[in-house]
Structures are given as structure tokens and as C-alpha cells.
Amino acid sequence: MGGRRALLLIGGILLAAAGLALTPTGERIRADVGPMVATVRARVAALIPERRDDSSTGAQLPAARTAIEDGRTLVRLTPAERARIGLVAEARPATLHRQELTAYGSVLELARITELTNSYAGAVAALQTARARVEVSASAARRARTLGAGVVAVAQIETVEGTLLTDQASVTVAESQLRTLAATARQEWGSVLGKAIIERSPLVTRLIERTDFLMQVTLPPGETLPEAPQAAFAEVPPQSERVALRLVSAATRTDPRIQGQSFFYLVTGDSGLLPGTSTMAFLPAPRAVKGVLVPEDAVVHGEGGTWVYRGTGDGAFVRHPVRPDAPMSADAFVVEDLPDGSEIVLRGAQALLSEEMKSRIRVVGDDDD
């Protein structure tokens, strides 16, 4: 601001001097102040080039962070820029990883298990009551026969024996009801859960008290396992956090929506999963795949694809595609076509993608101009 005022002041002096030089008096003054005017002009000439240099210096653009090489967009950041966005990269080997199969989990309603458990307990009580009545009526029948017809009327003996036969039939009915409920429990829920229902074991007690929930896990069609894994995992929406599952048994039925191999698992009641919830589940498979393990947090989505950023060896990073059907292991993607020892961006990949997209917007804007 001070330099601008100085220029205005000097310009005013020069204009005044020029106007005065047109008069006779001005001719004499011009001769006297000529040396002073030359000095002022020299100072003005020195100020103007200096301001032009400052303006041109301030208009310089920052160095580009992206470059296109061999048809790929490379992103280069300075160490300060990496630290600012929290970029973390790590070289990872290509090794064998036990594959996880993605399955579909559904937390089941437990009303049927509760109903069967209570019905079986009621049938057991009815059988015990029937057997107690048989004992009483059998004792009465024995006394009547011992006393004989001379002491007890024949009609009374017949009545006692008829009561015994009725009570024995009640025992037969109660036993049949008990066997039917036991068979139903095993048919609907399998031998493990069926036995737990019959015995009212802690497994069923925890389900009834909602300490645990029962989840049916179904593999997609075409995927099978020789035996059910003892441990599996399920995602809790919406954060997709993993919770552990504990094997109960093979399922006695499949999910009609999926038509695949199914298993019953337990999940804790405080996991965030409630009856009726559908979610993703992950079961370890016996086969292994070789590749670089890439955590889900390192993956970015854009332009209709899934990507991970890897280092190129010269301080730059480039996008690498991750197949939609890439194998999973330990809650991470196994990328089979990454070289051994690839430097993978574990944190900050989204910032790299944003920088790459911004560079494309700038290029399009330049073309429009």
C-alpha cells in the first residue's frame, strides 16, 4: 500500500511539472528543476520493474502431484504431504493364505424351540402323573383281589380293575406323546439341538433366556465343505464389525432363498444381531490361495471398480484393481496378481484417489479453455 501511494505522489509531481513547463515562468523553473525531475524519473523506472517481477513470481503454480506414464496415473506426494494425510504404506509378501468362504447368515426366531421345550416338559410331567395314578390304582386292585369276593363286592373289584386299565392307557398315551415330541425336536433341529431340547440343557436354556441367539449360515450354491468349521464369523451391520460364531451342528434344512449347504451357529446375545437379522458370514475353507493380503480398510471404490494403491518404487503410487470375486482370508482380500513384496497403501488411499480425480478435472478444464 505504501509503494502505491508513492507512485501516485510521484506521478502527480510529474504532471504538475509538465503543466508548468508550458508557461514562460515554467521555462525558467524547468531549467532550475530539470536535474530533480530526472532523478524522480529514475526512481520511478526503478520501482515499476521491481513490482512486475514480484507479480510474476507470485503467479507461479505449485508442482503437479500427478503424472501419466504408460497409460497409468501416478500420484507423487512430498514427505510433508504424506504426513499431513496420514499416509501409511507397507511392503507385503505374496504368501499362502487359508481362504474364507463368504456365506449368508440369518438369526432365527426361537419361538419354536421354546414351544418344543415347554411341550416336552409338559409331556414328561403328564407321564409322571399317569404313572403315579397307575401305582395307586394297581395297589387298590391288589387289595381288592386279596380280600376276595366275600369281603368286597364283585362290582367294586371290577371298578378298581377298570380304573387300573384306564390309568395304564394314560401312561401309554403320555409315553407316545413324549416320543413324538422327541422325534419332532430331532427332525426340526437335528440331533444336537434336539437332544438339548429333550434334556433342557444349558444350550437351550441360554437360547430361551436370550443369552445366545441361533444363526443359520448358508453357503452359496456350488460351495460345499466336507465338515462344518468349529469357528466362523459374522458381520454386524451397519459398521460391519466381526463377531465370533460357535458351531452347534449341521442344519436340518437349507435357506430356501439360497439353496446351499447350511449350518447352525451360536452368537452372543449382546453382539448386536437380533432375531430376523440377515448378514454376511465367513467360514474358513480347507483350501489356500497365494497372494498379497490387503485389508478392507486399504481398499477404495471409484469409477465402478475396487482398487488398492501400490508403490511403483520411485516414490509414486498407482491404482491396482481388486477383483469383485477376490478370495478372502482373515477379513482381508487376497490379491493374487500383485508382485511379491509390493508396497501397499494401508492408510490414505482415499486421499490418493481424490488427488487423482482432481488432476483429471483440471485436465478437462484446460481442454475446455
Side-chain angles (χ1 to χ4, degrees):
M1 183 64 72
R4 186 179 298 174
R5 290 177 178 175
L7 287 174
L8 292 174
L9 179 60
I10 293 170
I13 294 172
L14 291 175
L15 289 174
L20 190 60
L22 297 176
T23 64
T25 305
E27 292 292 335
R28 293 192 302 271
I29 296 174
R30 180 173 149 185
D32 294 336
V33 300
M36 182 179 69
V37 172
T39 303
V40 171
R41 286 178 177 172
R43 290 182 178 179
V44 171
L47 285 173
I48 292 175
E50 180 181 353
R51 290 182 59 82
R52 287 177 179 171
D53 292 342
D54 291 344
S55 176
S56 61
T57 302
Q60 289 181 353
L61 297 175
R65 297 189 182 97
T66 60
I68 298 178
E69 298 179 8
D70 299 329
R72 306 174 304 171
T73 302
L74 276 63
V75 183
R76 288 187 175 87
L77 300 179
T78 64
E81 289 170 335
R82 294 187 187 186
R84 180 170 53 83
I85 66 174
L87 189 143
V88 175
E90 178 184 292
R92 296 205 159 191
T95 58
L96 285 173
H97 304 279
R98 188 176 181 184
Q99 185 178 353
E100 281 183 344
L101 297 180
T102 302
Y104 307 93
S106 178
V107 184
L108 303 177
E109 297 286 349
L110 301 178
R112 181 58 178 163
I113 288 181
T114 304
E115 178 187 348
L116 281 173
T117 303
N118 293 335
S119 296
Y120 191 86
V124 169
L127 178 59
Q128 291 173 345
T129 302
R131 285 174 175 172
R133 287 176 178 171
V134 166
E135 291 179 2
V136 172
S137 57
S139 178
R142 284 193 301 269
R143 285 196 304 271
R145 294 192 196 99
T146 301
L147 293 176
V151 178
V152 180
V154 175
Q156 189 174 357
I157 293 175
E158 291 176 350
T159 300
V160 171
E161 290 181 345
T163 302
L164 175 60
L165 292 174
T166 302
D167 291 341
Q168 287 175 338
S170 297
V171 170
T172 302
V173 171
E175 289 175 343
S176 176
Q177 180 68 17
L178 208 61
R179 288 193 297 269
T180 300
L181 288 172
T184 301
R186 291 189 178 96
Q187 288 172 2
E188 290 189 11
W189 300 101
S191 58
V192 176
L193 273 173
K195 183 180 179 181
I197 290 171
I198 294 169
E199 298 176 353
R200 202 181 182 93
S201 70
L203 168 61
V204 165
T205 301
R206 290 176 64 86
L207 290 175
I208 294 174
E209 295 176 350
R210 299 175 69 91
T211 305
D212 290 332
F213 289 125
L214 187 67
M215 175 179 284
Q216 181 172 350
V217 176
T218 305
L219 291 172
E223 292 284 1
T224 58
L225 290 173
E227 58 182 16
Q230 290 295 321
F233 298 92
E235 285 188 349
V236 181
Q239 293 84 5
S240 298
E241 296 179 357
R242 283 196 170 195
V243 293
L245 304 178
R246 308 188 307 278
L247 177 67
V248 176
S249 67
T252 54
R253 56 186 179 272
T254 187
D255 189 322
R257 300 168 298 177
I258 304 166
Q259 302 289 322
Q261 187 180 14
S262 290
F263 308 98
F264 288 141
Y265 283 91
L266 293 178
V267 62
T268 57
D270 58 358
S271 64
L273 296 172
L274 297 173
T277 303
S278 295
T279 185
M280 302 300 295
F282 303 93
L283 281 67
R287 59 180 178 267
V289 290
K290 185 175 183 180
V292 176
L293 205 62
V294 177
E296 287 191 82
D297 293 341
V299 173
V300 293
H301 304 274
E303 298 187 322
T306 304
W307 314 87
V308 63
Y309 275 89
R310 66 175 181 87
T312 59
D314 55 356
F317 298 96
V318 66
R319 270 193 292 164
H320 187 90
V322 178
R323 298 195 336 256
D325 59 344
M328 299 284 294
S329 178
D331 198 18
F333 293 99
V334 181
V335 184
E336 300 173 88
D337 56 351
L338 276 173
D340 184 25
S342 294
E343 184 185 20
I344 304 300
V345 176
L346 302 180
R347 285 205 306 269
Q350 190 62 49
L352 294 178
L353 180 63
S354 299
E355 188 61 38
E356 184 178 340
M357 294 300 105
K358 284 192 297 184
S359 71
R360 296 190 180 185
I361 293 172
R362 286 196 294 267
V363 169
V364 172
D366 294 342
D367 292 343
D368 292 343
D369 293 341

